[in-house]
Amino acid sequence: MAWRRRSGLAAAASGSQVGVFICLLVLAVVAACGQRASQVGARAGATATSALTSEASTPPAVDYGAPLWIPLKSRSPADILAAVKQSTLFHLNCSPGSDCLQDLSHLGTPVLVTELRTQESRTSTDYYIIPVLDTAGNMAALASAELNPAHTAIHVQGISGSGPRWPRLVTADRAVTVVQAQHHTGLRSGGRPTLVWLPLDQFALQTGQIVWTAGGKSALDPVWLVPGTDGKDHFVGTDGRAYYLSQFPLAPSQ
């Protein structure tokens, strides 16, 4: 009997130890799960914090396709040139041997070229064309700056080669003489020759339906407008001839 009692106690003790071991094992698993959950939560919190920090420190996206309008203090040549020089196109890091001009520090006088207002055109866009000069003072390129409708800001659209001379026209005085000789009318009192470009039918020109080589296709290809004493506007093209507005291949009314 004593042996049986001792064996029972031993069995009980053994069972108790097993129970304790199982409890400890359960507690260890629970603790491990809690620690794992804590680590996961900490990582998730760190990731979220990192994302928020990154989002807060990252500057907002810039739409480089949108025009950068630079305000004009006035329409004086000095203020126009000061605004033009603020354009990003004048601060590019041009590597030697690249197509872009290395020196844009020498600029000529800005020239206003207006789009001719017609009854068919709903909108019109005017430009300042700025000669880019080399160190010898020769014209090396042209910068074209679009004006907003109120003429209070500019957007520098591009810089391109100028060719041998710009504009490829006779002088303003010579344009008046051409109109007098070919259209038999003088310069209207108070008027003056101005450079204009016209809303030509670009589709017809590009498809070859119309061939036009007398200028006026863009602000970089202007013609002279000479207001006549006959009350009409006269134009002198890049070919040195006088034209009436009806002779230009204007875009159809929309």
Side-chain angles (χ1 to χ4, degrees):
M1 294 294 294
W3 179 83
R4 289 183 179 179
R5 187 180 293 118
R6 284 197 299 268
S7 298
L9 291 173
S14 176
S16 176
Q17 290 174 354
V18 172
V20 170
F21 175 77
I22 292 174
C23 289
L24 291 176
L25 181 61
V26 171
L27 289 175
V29 171
V30 171
C33 291
Q35 183 178 5
R36 178 61 178 171
S38 177
Q39 290 176 349
V40 172
R43 290 176 183 174
T47 302
T49 303
S50 176
L52 290 174
T53 304
S54 176
E55 184 177 354
S57 61
T58 303
V62 178
D63 183 4
Y64 290 99
L68 174 62
W69 290 103
I70 305 169
L72 288 173
K73 291 184 178 179
S74 74
R75 299 180 191 176
S76 69
D79 285 339
I80 296 168
L81 293 180
V84 166
K85 291 178 181 178
Q86 295 179 44
S87 168
T88 54
L89 292 180
F90 278 76
H91 299 279
L92 297 177
N93 186 15
C94 294
S95 58
S98 60
D99 292 336
C100 60
L101 291 175
Q102 303 294 318
D103 185 3
L104 297 173
S105 59
H106 306 286
L107 301 179
T109 304
V111 179
L112 179 65
V113 181
T114 60
E115 183 179 4
L116 183 70
R117 277 70 170 170
T118 65
Q119 294 180 351
E120 290 78 11
S121 60
R122 295 180 180 179
T123 60
S124 57
T125 307
D126 301 335
Y127 291 84
Y128 279 118
I129 305 300
I130 301 95
V132 180
L133 310 176
D134 58 21
T135 54
N138 300 314
M139 191 179 299
L142 295 170
S144 56
E146 178 186 349
L147 281 154
N148 67 344
H151 284 199
T152 58
I154 62 169
H155 163 54
V156 180
Q157 288 190 335
I159 302 173
S160 60
S162 63
R165 183 168 61 90
W166 185 90
R168 294 179 292 275
L169 292 167
V170 298
T171 64
D173 291 340
R174 178 59 183 166
V176 174
T177 302
V178 169
V179 171
Q180 289 173 338
Q182 298 182 20
H183 287 181
H184 311 291
T185 185
L187 179 64
R188 191 180 308 164
S189 177
R192 61 183 180 84
T194 57
L195 293 173
V196 299
W197 68 286
L198 298 94
L200 303 184
D201 190 338
Q202 297 297 331
F203 178 78
L205 292 171
Q206 293 173 6
T207 56
Q209 299 177 33
I210 296 174
V211 178
W212 181 259
T213 59
K217 297 178 182 178
S218 71
L220 292 174
D221 182 37
V223 296
W224 285 115
L225 185 156
V226 180
T229 54
D230 58 357
K232 299 178 181 180
D233 288 335
H234 303 262
F235 303 86
V236 177
T238 55
D239 57 358
R241 294 179 54 190
Y243 293 89
Y244 295 102
L245 180 60
S246 59
Q247 294 177 277
F248 282 86
L250 298 178
S253 59
Q254 299 179 354

